[in-house]
Amino acid sequence: MKISKNRTALIMALLSIVGCSNANTVSTNNVPLMINQGACCSSYSQFSWIPLQGTEISVAINTQSQIGQFPDGKSYFAAFSLPSHVEQMRVKLDSIIRKDQVFAPTVILLNKDFEPVKTIDLKDFSLTSSNLLQRAAYQQTIMMTATKTPYMIVYSSEKYRGDTITIPHPERVRAEELGLPRPIVTDPEIKYTLTGQLHLAFKPTQLKSYRASSPVLAPQVAAITTELPLIPKAIAPIAASNSTMLPETETFYNQQITTAIKHKNIKKALQLLNEAKRAGSTSAESVFIELVK
């Protein structure tokens, strides 16, 4: 009987050692890896930009995202630009904590020549707790201006990759807010990874004014207003931007115009058309006209 007990104890000890070894292996495998693929572009001006239209957008940073070579390493990233009619915009950026992972954000603000003007590091972000209305996230409010910082890049520095941070458990936060006894819970450990989820809520605080050219309709536009009485009687040609619109932005506007017309939202389609023309689009008007024929 003693021999049997000793063997049992030995087997349990060995299983315990194996279990610890496997746990360490899983933890190591979950550490984010470096990016092996090459960068998408040789300069910031070649990035594809997402215009900040509407009031909020969510962007997934994943292995299909653009890859950039930044001063502190290579990273998947998202790039955003001010709409042409906005002079100043307040942007609240959240990098959402999902399960036990988060994309540790670094922000670069660029001027109209795509030159870095300001960098906002992870340490400048605040860490918010989850509640009924929002998830836990790294959060920062950023002011973008057309004259100084019309472009914004969000990426993750290699120096944080694989590090972790411990955040308060939601139940503990809730108990402290309500003055309840502290629950017996373990605060979760969050890992900094290559990918994640961004949420941006934004609001213009100052709009641009512009001078419209002579409100003379082209014959083809006049014919359209006759067939579609819901369209305003006059669509003043918009003074186009001197800069050339990026192909990705041109495609974005054309897709948005197409979607608006398919949903019979002519007013929104016209707004998108005017905005696209001010930003330098050369194809938005022809797409609009073709769709409403």
Side-chain angles (χ1 to χ4, degrees):
M1 181 64 69
K2 289 183 178 179
I3 294 175
S4 177
K5 287 183 178 179
N6 290 338
R7 286 180 178 176
T8 301
L10 178 61
I11 291 172
M12 293 300 293
L14 289 173
L15 288 175
S16 175
I17 294 172
V18 172
C20 292
S21 175
N22 288 340
N24 289 337
T25 301
V26 171
S27 176
T28 302
N29 289 340
N30 284 338
V31 174
L33 302 175
M34 307 300 277
I35 299 176
N36 296 322
Q37 301 96 317
C40 70
C41 315
S42 59
S43 66
Y44 294 145
S45 63
Q46 297 173 346
F47 287 178
S48 295
W49 303 90
I50 302 172
L52 295 175
Q53 294 181 315
T55 58
E56 59 181 342
I57 55 176
S58 291
V59 177
I61 303 294
N62 53 38
T63 55
Q64 304 303 313
S65 301
Q66 299 179 84
I67 300 173
Q69 182 65 56
F70 300 98
D72 45 1
K74 198 182 297 181
S75 173
Y76 296 114
F77 72 92
F80 306 93
S81 64
L82 285 181
S84 59
H85 67 285
V86 174
E87 176 59 39
Q88 182 172 277
M89 180 176 283
R90 181 183 292 109
V91 182
K92 186 180 76 170
L93 169 65
D94 284 353
S95 181
I96 307 297
I97 296 175
R98 305 176 67 183
K99 296 184 179 179
D100 61 347
Q101 299 182 348
V102 69
F103 185 79
T106 295
V107 172
I108 300 178
L109 296 174
L110 301 94
N111 62 21
K112 60 183 178 62
D113 296 319
F114 301 98
E115 298 169 337
V117 173
K118 182 178 181 181
T119 299
I120 303 174
D121 192 71
L122 178 67
K123 65 179 182 296
D124 300 316
F125 281 72
S126 59
L127 190 60
T128 65
S129 301
S130 61
N131 53 46
L132 294 176
L133 300 178
Q134 66 178 19
R135 290 184 175 183
Y138 275 108
Q139 186 179 98
Q140 178 62 267
T141 299
I142 301 159
M143 191 67 72
M144 298 176 67
T145 61
T147 54
K148 295 181 179 179
T149 53
Y151 299 102
M152 177 173 69
I153 302 168
V154 184
Y155 73 99
S156 181
S157 172
E158 282 186 1
K159 65 184 179 182
Y160 296 116
R161 225 97 19 90
D163 288 350
T164 62
I165 183 174
T166 301
I167 66 173
H169 193 284
E171 289 300 320
R172 181 161 71 84
V173 174
R174 179 174 176 273
E176 291 174 354
E177 290 176 348
L178 298 177
L180 300 175
R182 180 172 179 174
I184 302 175
V185 293
T186 302
D187 291 337
E189 187 176 58
I190 308 301
K191 302 172 185 176
Y192 296 138
T193 57
L194 281 170
T195 61
Q197 184 76 28
L198 303 179
H199 182 266
L200 295 89
F202 40 90
K203 181 179 181 180
T205 57
Q206 186 178 345
L207 300 178
K208 283 183 181 179
S209 60
Y210 66 94
R211 184 181 298 277
S213 58
S214 176
V216 177
L217 294 175
Q220 55 191 19
V221 178
I224 294 171
T225 58
T226 303
E227 294 175 10
L228 299 174
L230 292 178
I231 299 178
K233 293 183 179 179
I235 306 175
I238 303 300
S241 169
N242 292 329
S243 60
T244 302
M245 178 178 284
L246 292 172
E248 294 82 1
T249 308
E250 185 110 35
T251 300
F252 174 84
Y253 274 111
N254 291 343
Q255 290 174 344
Q256 293 298 307
I257 291 170
T258 301
T259 300
I261 293 177
K262 285 183 177 179
H263 288 82
K264 300 181 179 180
N265 192 342
I266 301 299
K267 181 178 179 181
K268 182 177 179 180
L270 283 170
Q271 291 173 342
L272 289 166
L273 170 61
N274 291 340
E275 185 174 304
K277 291 173 68 176
R278 284 197 299 270
S281 173
T282 59
S283 63
E285 184 172 352
S286 60
V287 169
F288 175 87
I289 293 171
E290 183 66 27
L291 288 171
V292 298
K293 280 184 178 179

